[in-house]
Amino acid sequence: MNLWLLAPELSLFFTAVVVLLLGLASSRRGIVIGVSLLGVLVSFVFAAFLWSGTPQATFNGMLSVDQFAVFFKFIVLAALVLVILASADYDYKVEQVRAEYFTLILISAVGLMLLSSARELITIYVSLEMSSISLYVLAGFLRDRRSSEAGLKYLLLGSVASATLLYGMSFVYGLTGKTELGQIASAIQSLSLSGLLDNPALLLGLVLVAGGFGFKISSFPFQMWVPDVYEGAPTPITGYLSVASKAAGFAAVMRIFYDAFGAPSWLGQNWGLLFAGLSIATMTVGNIVATAQANIKRMMAYSSIAQAGYIMVGLAAVSMGQSVAPAARSALAFFLASYTLTNMGAFVAIIAFSNKTNSDLIVDYSGMGRRAPLLALGLTLCLVSLLGLPPTAGLIAKVYIFNAAVQQGLLWLVIVAVLNTVVSAYYYLRVVKLMWLGNPVSEEPVPSSAALRTALFLACAGILLLGIVPDLLVRLSETAGHSLL
Amino acid sequence: MPYQLAWFIWTLPVFAFLAITLVLRPFFNHRPHWSAYATITAIGAAFVLSIWALITVLQSPDHLLAVPRIEWAVIDGFTIHLGLLVDSLTAIMLVVVTGVSLLVQIYSQGYMHGDPGYPRYFAWMALFTANMLGLVMADSLLFMYVFWEGVGLCSYLLIGFWFHKKSAADAAKKAFLVTRLGDFGFLAGILTLYFSQNTFDIEALRTAAAAGAIAGTTLTLAAIGIFAGAAGKSAQFPLHTWLPDAMEGPTPVSSLIHAATMVAAGVFLVARMFPVFAYSETALNVVAGIGAFTAIFAASMGLVANDIKRVMAYSTISQLGYMMLALGAGGLAAYASGGSLPIEEAISLGVAVGMFHLFNHAFFKCLLFLGCGSVNHATGTFDMRYMGGLRKYMPFTTLTFVIASLSLAGIWPLSGFWSKDEILVTSWNYIPVWFYVALVTVFMTAFYCFRAVFLTFSGEYRGGEPGAHVAAHSTPGHEQSHMPHESPRVMLVPMGVLAVLSIVSGWINLSGGFSSFLGHSAESEGGWLQTLFGVFTHPLPFISLATAAAGIFLAFAMYNRKWVSATAVGRAFSPIYKVLYNKYWMDELYQGILVKSFLLNGLFRGAQEMDADVVDGVANGIGNTVVGFGKGMRRMETGQLQGYAVAIAVGLVAIMLGLYFWT
């Protein structure tokens, strides 16, 4: 047992406690945000140390500290920096309880970071709940009707999903008598089954666990909460939900399915097929419904569902091919990193616009290119990256993940995904067109705070950097993909 | 010095461009001169580095500057390299491009003085230079194509620099579209080579072509495709129509882009890929034939143009035709000599002769354009009918213009003589038909450029009436009322430097140094002094000199002494005059037949109907279905929690059933 291996989580948790206590004395914005960012920085430094270490399991195999986990910790921390900066300008709405707001964000991040390391069913569940409960509260944080509704919906449906997950885990435990993923894998192999139907408990366990996480990663048909919650929740939290919680969710799904259900090969093929099917349904539903949205937060909600569909292409490629390819795992990590920057960036820009206009309607973005050229430029870059055009990270991410899938013989899946990308151009570029070619509603410029501008700049710089010099992150994600314990 | 420094040659101007657009223009707009300084500094540094590159290449035994390639992205073993190919060809181009560009930027400070778009001008000039340098340094056709389009874009932006003028905007559009036409061919050529050899790497493709790995129709098609791209950029017939119109841009732009560098990129491209051409006799015949025809065809139109810049534009087209002819004739030498000259040597012969003319032409043609700019600066017009007598007011401009004209006409011992002579010799030796065409062109060239000289500088000043071309930059303090005056020193110094170069640049090949640098070892003819005069042991120089002198004399007789009335000649040959004056009605042909009848009323109308009925029908159908479907599905989102929970349950069961039946 080596506590140093938990240093990123522990330091972040400590920060959360400090912020909460500080809140009793003073809830001045600068202090709260400064301390939070400092905590993130410390946690980042610890994580960077772990990156250079050798992959190992700790706490009797409950947690694994490999580069794959650390990579996702980086993603969560990056999202955290952006969400803290994005909240700096937004928190006038939560002035009374500012410290609690940031504490909850930090605690949820601790949960997500643990989730990316967890390799034991109970630990997975506990980490998941640790992040989820904070997020339920955050979604309902604004005391208006929509936010409360969002919080309640998220809580109730999240509980359904938790129950589903637990139910599935209990089947797996019943079948194998183990909770640690590696032991589950060997137990399944010793059963010497020849197909999924040989033992229905395995089928039930597999599908229910997939369903429970399907909620988290907003896969069809578990995605229905997404638009309602995204629309009602405070916008920084929406951004955070759409990236950090999704990224950690994918990390956990990858670890569970790859570690516990990776062998024998027919089992891998089966869940690969499962995710391939869900992927098609998810991206198609996300993209098609997004075309009909009038509210930009709802549009982004469906867009993030569609993006989850693309990421599931990588999930399918992990095990569905003839060989178990690390390329798909690396591609998944890369995509999530790029998606985190891009989606968070887009939400930062949306926050900046709505702070001024108090509206989330897409028509109100008309002529923003003239009212706030830099913000509009930033949002354009993010949308272009989500669509996957050069010179952005989004293009590299898509090429990377689709290439991995094609190599695994999933050409048909990639064709569907590319067709979906074409559909997505409609709603992404509609916003871009409106911003630059539409007539402004008023000539009044849209000001934005330094924190928001910093956040947007960081996100856009990252998007461009990864788009132009992808090799930096490709190397890291390859290491991550190969290291999965 | 580390070889990675070579990267800075083309990235420095990029930094200048970024600095101007991101920092100087937004924040220091009240100090427009800083933009000029940024561009000039960057290009100056690039020039120094180019000299270093040239020296390094000269000293290295295989004439190569080995720059380690950068792995841009490695994804699953699929590696995308970024690399530079700096050989003797590139090194020469680097020095020419950075040198000429530097002089033009310095000159532009005077010419563009007071223009409201001053920083924008220098930003685009820096971007153009960066792209042009990238083009000559790229080690793969793919990256070359990126820069190729980059220079096209900059050319578009700079031709249309005064975009509020309709003629400038139209000219920019025309230039972009016509060159695009050739670029399709280029792209097709690149893809043909790629699918044949599975690589974009230029060196690998050259080797493959030389080893016979690409052969037959594939090779010919690839070569013709590449030549189509080159013909578009170098304004070869029938894609030449954009270049005269491109003169709507600021004159320094015409000088740098449309005379010295970008239009020569086509010639450079053919030289770069010459092994691909040299093994296909058909392709070589196309190159030589189009080149020779363009040379005489464009020169004939230059005979009657009244706009001094257009005369020079036709001259550029014609000279580029010469270069193409040189390449083609050099390559054909292997076939015409009946095998006594190996193809490898024919390749180096063609490249050496063509590039030598490109090298010399860059200096004297750039100077001619800067002279036009200087004249325009003084008179406010480009129309020669309103000039005259400027010799008295602008002695320095007159002197440099005459030097450049003599060089262009090919008068011994100026630079143009040497390279033109080599082209004549090569075509005389191997394809005599084109030799006579080239010789007639020599006469025309001498005539039209001295027609311009006499009309502009001799006689009496005819008022500088703002004629066809209103000086677009009618800056305060430049009223047309007073008499013309010499241009400021910042414009004259670059002209002086170029004038010296126009005289001496040809001398570097007197002992075959230039040719052997490009791999062609001519038979040793002794020292350079011997060659300087010994050239007349052969009868050919006498013929070409006499032809050029006849042209100059005719111009002298018609436009200086007026022994022969130009109008009378025009009336006597009125049908020919009309044909030439109307540029063979090529524009009308394109506009009327191709654009209006064929494209607009034929193809486009058909396509439009097809588009409206079929494609739009399908697209709108799909779009409407998607959006309609989306609206329908949106209704599924009722906000009812129970419904969502039911959906989850139903979904889970459906998935299980799916897996149950599937597996």
Side-chain angles (χ1 to χ4, degrees):
Chain A
M1 234 176 17
N2 184 350
L3 275 183
W4 282 112
L5 294 173
L6 275 181
E9 287 85 353
L10 289 176
S11 59
L12 208 57
F13 186 76
F14 179 71
T15 313
V17 174
V18 169
V19 168
L20 190 62
L21 292 177
L22 266 179
L24 294 176
S26 141
S27 64
R28 286 209 11 232
R29 176 184 294 172
I31 294 179
V32 170
I33 290 176
V35 171
S36 307
L37 283 177
L38 191 69
V40 175
L41 183 69
V42 171
S43 173
F44 177 84
V45 171
F46 282 127
F49 274 115
L50 293 182
W51 175 267
S52 50
T54 45
Q56 52 185 308
T58 182
F59 286 95
N60 302 321
M62 289 159 100
L63 293 169
S64 72
V65 183
D66 48 17
Q67 275 80 1
F68 186 78
V70 179
F71 190 91
F72 281 90
K73 290 180 214 273
F74 284 147
I75 292 184
V76 171
L77 288 172
L80 205 50
V81 170
L82 293 177
V83 77
I84 289 172
L85 286 173
S87 302
D89 207 26
Y90 194 84
D91 66 351
Y92 64 92
K93 294 188 179 168
V94 293
E95 187 123 37
Q96 308 294 314
V97 280
R98 180 180 288 138
E100 286 83 345
Y101 174 88
F102 285 101
T103 306
L104 284 169
I105 293 182
L106 290 169
I107 289 181
S108 78
V110 173
L112 294 174
M113 285 165 76
L114 281 173
L115 186 58
S116 65
S117 273
R119 63 193 308 269
E120 192 265 344
L121 294 182
I122 306 296
T123 318
I124 289 171
Y125 182 73
V126 172
S127 330
L128 188 67
E129 287 302 295
M130 184 173 182
S131 68
S132 294
I133 290 170
S134 314
L135 290 172
Y136 297 150
V137 181
L138 284 168
F141 217 79
L142 304 180
R143 285 175 227 165
D144 60 16
R145 207 182 66 81
R146 288 203 148 265
S147 178
S148 308
E149 188 189 322
L152 190 63
K153 268 187 185 164
Y154 192 29
L155 168 67
L156 290 174
L157 289 171
S159 309
V160 172
S162 291
T164 312
L165 178 66
L166 277 180
Y167 195 30
M169 284 178 171
S170 68
F171 275 111
V172 174
Y173 179 72
L175 186 67
T176 60
K178 304 286 178 197
T179 58
E180 204 224 302
L181 300 182
Q183 292 172 349
I184 291 173
S186 35
I188 290 176
Q189 269 179 308
S190 66
L191 290 175
S192 59
L193 306 170
S194 62
L196 201 52
L197 303 182
D198 282 4
N199 196 328
L202 186 58
L203 173 69
L204 281 172
L206 198 72
V207 172
L208 290 172
V209 169
F213 272 103
F215 176 84
K216 201 83 197 158
I217 61 178
S218 67
S219 154
F220 182 86
F222 317 104
Q223 91 296 2
M224 290 187 134
W225 60 277
V226 171
D228 291 355
V229 173
Y230 278 23
E231 191 187 355
T235 315
I237 300 305
T238 306
Y240 186 62
L241 273 179
S242 75
V243 295
S245 116
K246 192 173 278 180
F250 267 106
V253 171
M254 170 81 101
R255 204 181 280 280
I256 295 175
F257 280 84
Y258 179 73
D259 276 359
F261 306 125
S265 66
W266 56 263
L267 187 58
Q269 298 270 344
N270 277 339
W271 64 259
L273 186 72
L274 168 71
F275 282 115
L278 290 181
S279 154
I280 291 183
T282 307
M283 61 179 132
T284 311
V285 167
N287 279 323
I288 288 183
V289 185
T291 57
Q293 298 305 319
N295 179 308
I296 198 157
K297 277 168 83 177
R298 287 186 82 88
M299 187 199 96
M300 289 302 291
Y302 284 104
S303 143
S304 82
I305 293 173
Q307 299 283 338
Y310 303 139
I311 304 172
M312 285 158 79
V313 171
L315 210 51
V318 167
S319 70
M320 240 198 113
Q322 305 309 314
S323 60
V324 178
R329 304 200 292 268
S330 319
L332 193 103
F334 186 96
F335 196 108
L336 277 163
S338 135
Y339 168 74
T340 299
L341 281 179
T342 311
N343 225 36
M344 237 8 252
F347 273 109
V348 168
I350 289 170
I351 292 168
F353 282 125
S354 67
N355 271 350
K356 170 73 189 170
T357 60
N358 245 327
S359 153
D360 286 324
L361 293 180
I362 294 176
V363 284
D364 287 336
Y365 281 73
S366 180
M368 278 302 178
R370 253 180 282 166
R371 295 176 65 187
L374 284 179
L375 283 180
L377 190 68
L379 185 54
T380 303
L381 190 70
C382 292
L383 293 175
V384 162
S385 179
L386 284 173
L387 174 56
L389 294 181
T392 59
L395 169 77
I396 311 284
K398 272 204 177 117
V399 169
Y400 199 175
I401 212 162
F402 291 169
N403 183 35
V406 169
Q407 283 184 354
Q408 293 285 67
L410 290 174
L411 185 62
W412 53 276
L413 185 56
V414 171
I415 290 175
V416 176
V418 169
L419 287 177
N420 258 287
T421 304
V422 175
V423 174
S424 74
Y426 172 79
Y427 59 87
Y428 289 132
L429 296 184
R430 188 178 51 161
V431 178
V432 173
K433 182 186 148 207
L434 208 59
M435 283 197 299
W436 294 104
L437 301 177
N439 290 319
V441 187
S442 79
E443 289 296 330
E444 215 179 331
V446 178
S448 49
S449 72
L452 280 178
R453 270 180 281 150
T454 312
L456 188 58
F457 172 77
L458 287 177
C460 289
I463 292 169
L464 278 179
L465 189 69
L466 295 185
I468 296 168
V469 208
D471 216 36
L472 299 171
L473 191 64
V474 168
R475 296 249 164 101
L476 295 187
S477 44
E478 268 175 359
T479 315
H482 284 271
S483 76
L484 189 59
L485 266 186
Chain B
M1 271 200 276
Y3 291 161
Q4 274 85 350
L5 268 182
W7 283 98
F8 285 103
I9 296 177
W10 73 268
T11 47
L12 277 174
V14 175
F15 293 139
F17 165 74
L18 291 177
I20 295 172
T21 38
L22 297 181
V23 183
L24 293 179
R25 248 188 100 195
F27 301 112
F28 298 96
N29 212 9
H30 55 289
R31 299 221 188 287
H33 290 284
W34 289 7
S35 317
Y37 300 151
T39 299
I40 291 172
T41 314
I43 294 176
F47 176 66
V48 173
L49 284 173
S50 302
I51 298 278
W52 159 76
L54 179 68
I55 293 170
T56 317
V57 173
L58 269 171
Q59 283 170 347
S60 89
D62 49 355
H63 289 332
L64 210 63
L65 178 74
V67 186
R69 291 207 282 186
I70 294 180
E71 283 182 358
W72 181 60
V74 190
I75 295 177
D76 280 318
F78 175 69
T79 314
I80 306 173
H81 284 290
L82 272 184
L84 301 180
L85 174 59
V86 185
D87 57 2
S88 43
L89 192 63
T90 303
I92 292 168
M93 287 300 285
L94 285 180
V95 173
V96 171
V97 172
T98 51
V100 171
S101 178
L102 182 62
L103 291 171
V104 170
Q105 308 310 335
I106 294 172
Y107 174 96
S108 301
Q109 292 183 91
Y111 191 82
M112 299 302 289
H113 181 82
D115 193 287
Y118 194 87
R120 182 166 55 103
Y121 173 86
F122 280 97
W124 285 343
M125 281 299 235
L127 186 64
F128 166 77
T129 309
N131 274 301
M132 187 68 208
L133 292 169
L135 192 159
V136 301
M137 294 176 86
D139 76 334
S140 95
L141 280 179
L142 195 62
F143 283 107
M144 195 193 225
Y145 189 75
V146 172
F147 291 119
W148 184 266
E149 293 300 327
V151 290
L153 171 71
C154 294
S155 160
Y156 165 82
L157 290 170
L158 283 163
I159 294 171
F161 183 76
W162 290 307
F163 51 82
H164 43 77
K165 252 180 21 174
K166 188 175 180 315
S167 55
D170 286 348
K173 221 183 304 172
K174 184 172 176 185
F176 195 72
L177 291 178
V178 175
T179 48
R180 286 295 312 159
L181 226 56
D183 291 350
F184 285 124
F186 187 21
L187 189 61
I190 293 179
L191 292 179
T192 311
L193 289 174
Y194 180 76
F195 288 122
S196 156
Q197 294 300 307
N198 224 1
T199 178
F200 290 117
D201 188 77
I202 290 174
E203 205 52 64
L205 289 171
R206 285 159 58 110
T207 320
I214 323 169
T217 330
T218 318
L219 187 73
T220 308
L221 280 180
I224 301 222
I226 291 175
F227 181 67
K233 270 280 180 274
S234 290
Q236 299 294 289
F237 179 85
L239 299 178
H240 63 278
T241 55
W242 66 272
L243 189 58
D245 286 10
M247 298 299 126
E248 288 289 341
T251 305
V253 169
S254 315
S255 167
L256 176 64
I257 301 185
H258 305 114
T261 57
M262 186 191 82
V263 289
V267 177
F268 168 79
L269 175 65
V270 175
R272 173 59 99 204
M273 300 307 294
F274 206 51
V276 174
F277 288 84
Y279 290 87
S280 161
E281 205 180 341
T282 324
L284 286 173
N285 274 315
V286 170
V287 173
I290 297 259
F293 179 72
T294 307
I296 192 167
F297 178 76
S300 71
M301 291 186 283
L303 298 176
V304 297
N306 285 324
D307 181 318
I308 188 167
K309 268 181 89 182
R310 279 182 181 256
V311 174
M312 293 308 149
Y314 287 121
S315 163
T316 304
I317 301 175
S318 163
Q319 297 298 311
L320 290 165
Y322 261 118
M323 299 172 206
M324 291 292 185
L325 169 64
L327 285 161
L332 282 171
Y335 300 90
S337 66
S340 68
L341 188 74
I343 290 190
E344 294 79 56
E345 279 186 29
I347 290 174
S348 49
L349 170 69
V351 171
V353 176
M355 286 301 294
F356 189 39
H357 196 51
L358 188 159
F359 180 74
N360 293 331
H361 175 259
F363 301 124
F364 62 69
K365 187 51 68 59
C366 181
L367 174 57
L368 283 170
F369 271 104
L370 295 189
C372 295
S374 179
V375 165
N376 164 253
H377 199 73
T379 65
T381 180
F382 288 111
D383 195 325
M384 295 187 289
R385 285 171 295 187
Y386 302 109
M387 296 180 183
L390 295 180
R391 181 170 41 99
K392 272 172 270 169
Y393 309 106
M394 319 177 68
F396 190 80
T397 304
T398 312
L399 176 70
T400 55
F401 201 91
V402 170
I403 291 174
S405 299
L406 286 171
S407 190
L408 170 62
I411 300 299
W412 182 89
L414 275 64
S415 64
F417 167 79
W418 301 102
S419 48
K420 192 170 284 185
D421 200 50
E422 281 190 22
I423 296 175
L424 290 172
V425 169
T426 313
S427 51
W428 169 254
N429 284 345
Y430 302 109
I431 34 174
V433 192
W434 295 133
F435 166 75
Y436 296 108
V437 173
L439 197 62
V440 176
T441 311
V442 168
F443 175 78
M444 290 181 174
T445 309
F447 176 78
Y448 68 64
C449 71
F450 276 87
R451 171 176 173 259
V453 168
F454 292 128
L455 277 177
T456 310
F457 297 105
S458 71
E460 285 305 314
Y461 185 50
R462 291 187 290 277
E465 199 87 1
H469 282 261
V470 181
H473 69 301
S474 44
T475 50
H478 279 161
E479 294 94 28
Q480 329 274 291
S481 54
H482 55 74
M483 289 317 253
H485 53 89
E486 187 62 284
S487 297
R489 190 167 301 158
V490 70
M491 290 165 70
L492 297 182
V493 170
M495 291 165 67
V497 174
L498 283 168
V500 174
L501 285 170
S502 303
I503 299 172
V504 303
S505 72
W507 298 355
I508 62 168
N509 202 29
L510 283 177
S511 48
F514 189 91
S515 297
S516 70
F517 183 46
L518 283 169
H520 174 65
S521 46
E523 53 273 40
S524 171
E525 296 174 42
W528 71 273
L529 243 170
Q530 261 168 294
T531 325
L532 186 59
F533 298 101
V535 65
F536 291 108
T537 52
H538 196 279
L540 206 60
F542 287 107
I543 301 176
S544 71
L545 269 180
T547 317
I552 296 175
F553 181 75
L554 185 61
F556 178 72
M558 281 172 71
Y559 298 102
N560 187 288
R561 294 289 141 163
K562 308 232 166 45
W563 293 329
V564 190
S565 154
T567 38
V569 174
R571 223 175 296 125
F573 293 97
S574 104
I576 301 181
Y577 180 81
K578 218 180 244 169
V579 169
L580 296 182
Y581 191 77
N582 287 304
K583 302 168 269 177
Y584 297 86
W585 289 284
M586 284 292 283
D587 280 330
E588 285 75 11
L589 184 80
Y590 282 164
Q591 185 66 29
I593 312 235
L594 198 69
V595 176
K596 280 219 181 91
S597 308
F598 178 65
L599 287 179
L600 279 184
N601 289 330
L603 193 62
F604 288 175
R605 166 107 8 122
Q608 190 203 12
E609 272 156 22
M610 165 93 181
D611 191 54
D613 297 348
V614 182
V615 180
D616 273 10
V618 173
N620 288 341
I622 293 178
N624 290 338
T625 316
V626 167
V627 174
F629 200 47
K631 284 188 178 140
M633 299 223 318
R634 194 172 58 171
R635 251 173 254 135
M636 281 168 49
E637 306 266 349
T638 53
Q640 293 296 318
L641 215 49
Q642 308 88 309
Y644 293 178
V646 170
I648 292 179
V650 172
L652 282 171
V653 172
I655 293 170
M656 278 184 232
L657 288 178
L659 273 180
Y660 181 85
F661 287 113
W662 195 290
T663 52

